[in-house]
Amino acid sequence: MKVLISGASIAGPTTAYWLTRAGHEVTVVERAARPREGGAPIDVRGEAVEVAERMGVLDRIRSVRTNTQGILYVDRSGRRSTRLYPGDFAENPGRDIELERADLVSILYDAAKDDAEYVFEDSIETLAEDSAGVDVTFARGGEARFDLVVGADGLHSVVRGLAFGPGGTHHLGMYVALVPVDPALGRADWGVMHNSPGRVAGVYSHRGSATGFFMFRSPELSYDYRDVDQQKKLLISEFAGEGWQVPRLLDAVRATDDFYFDSVSQVRMPSWTRGRVALVGDAGYCPALLSGMGTTLAMVGATALADALAAGDHRAAFARYDLAHRPLVDHAQAGVMRSAAVLIPATRFGIWSRNQLTKLLPLAAAARRSTRRRAQV
Ligand SMILES: Cc1cc2nc3c(=O)[nH]c(=O)nc-3n(C[C@H](O)[C@H](O)[C@H](O)COP(=O)(O)OP(=O)(O)OC[C@H]3O[C@@H](n4cnc5c(N)ncnc54)[C@H](O)[C@@H]3O)c2cc1C
């Protein structure tokens, strides 16, 4: 089949890898000029580690893993309030892998680029489907016909909008911003975070570099997705007057041209496929940035779709894809508001309670490990 994939981040190249290996002719169209770097470290968890192994990229992923020791929460003057260790909350401690997002994007791009055709700086403009295929026009003026179209173009997916209509996204009442910062603002291999009610600012240091991180609670805001200066102003006014290193992090926001700002949202769809179009990754089932599961869902979902297509025609395959992948998506989406309560409590009392409760987490984790050991015996 001729397959068009929109998006070259995590879901797109993983889908391209599997579909080219199955003998399909794959084109990947990406709006940016190259695979987009940037972002804080991300996690490859559980079944996604198995996917990486099947793709033959696990050793490369492991070789660039970060060495995060944990998260320190500090007060306005920088004094430690509490800390969290990865083992306190990881579902598969020792097996899950954290790495820089840019590293994973480039590993997956390398895995797929020789067998798929990549087209950068372009985007799907229209889709017109009939019983035998999909006619596609592109923003730069081209047109072509494909047997299937896969939307792997993230939270604001163009393919989702064109094939399914508006809707599907659910704002979770928070916004996030990321900016590269001077590692001296943080502490090597630690996340350092400062909360005030409804806000968190932090520095995540990894492999010699560092990402400044902001989140704040807010109802849905109206702003221009393309107007980065407007987004910067919005963030700066939200965090004005905060203590700790926040003024210096805001200086980095003012100075950067590598700024990421987005709503913390989930995508919930009753079906990820319609006709000859399928959605993969954040485009179909974004679990929200703070779930730590977006990458895992994207890699596992892309593989589930390709496995399903290997077994037969696209109609039956799309149904199998949904059946195979939905339990993991539901699980990942369900846990997000619990993470929000820990990361970004809405009140002073919430921050205090979080600090007290996190002190008990190492005890809870030890109890879980001992129960697991007893069950194995
Ligand atoms: C710059 C950036 C930084 C991120 N930082 C973090 C982070 O720090 N922590 C975290 O947990 N998650 C982060 N994410 C999200 C994370 O990558 C995803 O949740 C997850 O890995 C699933 O990946 P995905 O491929 O489905 O979607 P995404 O990673 O969002 O990728 C979508 C891709 O589609 C492209 N695209 C968008 N619209 C079009 C279009 N119209 N035509 C063609 N291509 C299009 C985008 O440029 C992007 O390459 C970030 C995403 C991006 C793009």
Side-chain angles (χ1 to χ4, degrees):
M1 288 190 289
K2 275 184 77 180
V3 183
L4 175 65
I5 298 172
S6 174
S9 173
I10 310 289
T14 310
T15 311
Y17 173 86
W18 289 118
L19 294 186
T20 51
R21 281 183 57 104
H24 302 299
E25 197 184 318
V26 175
T27 304
V28 182
V29 58
E30 162 63 49
R31 193 164 52 186
R34 64 189 73 83
R36 283 183 71 190
E37 299 179 339
I42 38 115
D43 298 294
V44 176
R45 295 187 164 160
E47 288 174 55
V49 178
E50 286 154 36
V51 167
E53 195 160 22
R54 276 178 65 191
M55 292 175 73
V57 296
L58 184 56
D59 287 345
R60 231 185 119 191
I61 287 178
R62 283 209 175 111
S63 73
V64 289
R65 74 190 306 163
T66 53
N67 183 31
T68 301
Q69 305 295 305
I71 297 175
L72 296 175
Y73 285 96
V74 296
D75 65 15
R76 322 185 30 97
S77 56
R79 263 196 315 269
R80 191 177 84 206
S81 322
T82 186
R83 64 181 150 196
L84 278 174
Y85 294 102
D88 294 345
F89 46 84
E91 290 192 15
N92 308 290
R95 182 142 173 85
D96 295 347
I97 305 167
E98 187 193 67
L99 73 165
E100 289 178 20
R101 184 182 165 279
D103 284 333
L104 184 61
V105 167
S106 97
I107 290 169
L108 296 175
Y109 174 61
D110 286 351
K113 72 174 190 298
D114 292 339
D115 297 317
E117 184 195 359
Y118 274 77
V119 179
F120 289 100
E121 293 185 291
D122 208 351
S123 169
I124 295 173
E125 187 111 310
T126 62
L127 298 173
E129 181 173 332
D130 57 42
S131 59
V134 190
D135 290 313
V136 181
T137 65
F138 294 90
R140 285 211 329 232
E143 50 186 65
R145 186 169 170 82
F146 296 89
D147 296 297
L148 297 181
V149 174
V150 176
D153 42 4
L155 177 59
H156 306 287
S157 170
V158 157
V159 173
R160 189 179 66 239
L162 290 172
F164 295 79
T169 56
H170 297 262
H171 176 65
L172 299 186
M174 286 162 275
Y175 283 84
V176 61
L178 302 167
V179 60
V181 296
D182 180 353
L185 292 177
R187 175 169 164 181
D189 295 329
W190 282 84
V192 186
M193 310 238 174
H194 169 62
N195 280 106
S196 59
R199 292 188 200 96
V200 61
V203 178
Y204 213 140
S205 305
H206 38 90
R207 290 167 58 83
S209 53
T211 306
F213 168 93
F214 302 85
M215 275 178 91
F216 61 96
R217 291 183 182 264
S218 162
E220 204 153 6
L221 299 167
S222 121
Y223 64 92
D224 181 349
Y225 287 115
R226 288 183 198 89
D227 188 344
V228 174
D229 284 338
Q230 186 193 11
Q231 294 160 26
K232 285 183 174 183
K233 279 192 193 123
L234 221 150
L235 185 83
I236 289 164
S237 80
E238 187 65 36
F239 281 83
E242 293 282 341
W244 181 58
Q245 303 269 28
V246 175
R248 275 167 293 282
L249 297 181
L250 294 178
D251 287 342
V253 168
R254 286 185 192 92
T256 191
D257 53 9
D258 180 5
F259 182 66
Y260 175 86
F261 182 85
D262 211 337
S263 121
V264 177
S265 294
Q266 287 188 335
V267 176
R268 299 182 212 135
M269 307 282 291
S271 170
W272 306 316
T273 59
R274 175 168 286 180
R276 292 175 170 271
V277 178
L279 302 174
V280 181
D282 279 3
Y285 31 81
C286 178
L289 191 109
L290 49 72
S291 76
M293 283 294 285
T295 300
T296 295
L297 292 187
M299 291 176 69
V300 175
T303 309
L305 175 63
D307 285 348
L309 282 166
D313 110 296
H314 76 272
R315 282 178 216 87
F318 283 180
R320 276 195 298 277
Y321 164 48
D322 198 298
L323 213 61
H325 195 42
R326 201 163 282 271
L328 186 63
V329 169
D330 288 347
H331 174 70
Q333 293 197 327
V336 167
M337 293 321 276
R338 279 196 302 277
S339 310
V342 173
L343 184 65
I344 179 169
T347 59
R348 260 181 220 298
F349 177 69
I351 296 171
W352 179 85
S353 314
R354 188 274 317 276
N355 291 349
Q356 304 313 309
L357 283 172
T358 49
K359 289 173 187 157
L360 301 174
L361 278 175
L363 297 176
R368 267 204 314 275
R369 278 195 294 275
S370 129
T371 310
R372 227 179 276 137
R373 264 200 306 276
R374 275 206 300 277
Q376 278 160 4
V377 173

